[in-house]
Amino acid sequence: MNITIKQETSSDYRVVESLIKSAFEHAEYTDHDEHNLVARLRKSDAFIPELSLLAVLEKDIVGHILFTKIMIHNGKEKYPSLALAPVAVLPNYQGEGIGSKLILEGINRAKSFGFESVIVLGHADYYPRFGFVPASKYRISAPFEVPNEAFMALELKSQALDHITGTVEYAKEFFT
């Protein structure tokens, strides 16, 4: 399968929102609002166009990933990081490695832009293969109740999180 990863453009928005809706239609843990979340995030200060990526098969968009700016806040200081959310692949293409390609390319691009860490709320048996570990290892917590093993962090730069502690502060668009 010859998958190309490219940056999303505004002309892709409708197709991507439909893809996301379809990808999460039968997901176990979802509020079925991921497509609206992405639409809200695109209009926010947290949006990084270069980290909104598509997986393209021939001319068809079959996957999407989004990384947005977040802060880790400990009361006195704030540290920049990224949120990985969501990763979406059309149902007929799930299990083919497309999500992995999107994640790996997104991580590489995030590193190249100088970001030092990524936070994800996701399946504990999936994200560790990319180096994610429970965020609690770094004394980083979610701003809401979540299972420890599902809230994970990845250092993009060695020891980037060693001296950072606090609560993740997501863009307000995550909560509207």
Side-chain angles (χ1 to χ4, degrees), residues 3-122:
I3 299 291
T4 303
I5 306 296
K6 69 173 199 159
Q7 182 178 329
E8 178 190 47
T9 65
S10 58
S11 64
D12 300 315
Y13 288 2
R14 278 182 160 341
V15 170
V16 168
E17 288 169 20
S18 177
L19 176 152
I20 294 168
K21 194 172 186 180
S22 177
F24 284 94
E25 187 174 13
H26 300 292
E28 185 177 356
Y29 301 106
T30 178
D31 62 2
H32 298 285
D33 196 49
E34 290 84 2
H35 61 293
N36 290 321
L37 169 62
V38 169
R40 290 190 305 268
L41 285 168
R42 285 187 192 119
K43 298 173 187 170
S44 76
D45 291 337
F47 184 60
I48 308 163
E50 296 84 0
L51 294 178
S52 184
L53 303 175
L54 305 175
V56 180
L57 177 60
E58 295 175 15
K59 292 185 180 186
D60 296 326
I61 297 170
V62 296
H64 175 260
I65 191 169
L66 182 63
F67 293 81
T68 52
K69 296 177 202 170
I70 60 171
M71 299 300 274
I72 300 169
H73 188 271
N74 71 5
K76 294 181 179 182
E77 297 182 31
K78 290 185 178 187
Y79 305 96
S81 187
L82 292 172
L84 186 173
V87 178
V89 176
L90 285 173
N92 290 347
Y93 295 95
Q94 291 175 6
E96 302 290 328
I98 295 169
S100 293
K101 287 182 183 196
L102 283 164
I103 292 167
L104 291 170
E105 181 63 24
I107 287 169
N108 286 335
R109 290 186 187 202
K111 281 182 191 178
S112 75
F113 290 125
F115 289 99
E116 296 186 357
S117 64
V118 179
I119 303 293
V120 68
L121 174 60

Side-chain angles (χ1 to χ4, degrees), residues 146-171:
V146 61
N148 181 61
E149 66 276 4
F151 191 69
M152 294 171 269
L154 171 68
E155 291 181 315
L156 300 179
K157 178 182 172 188
S158 180
Q159 301 177 330
L161 296 174
D162 280 0
H163 303 290
I164 295 177
T165 177
T167 302
V168 169
E169 185 179 303
Y170 287 98

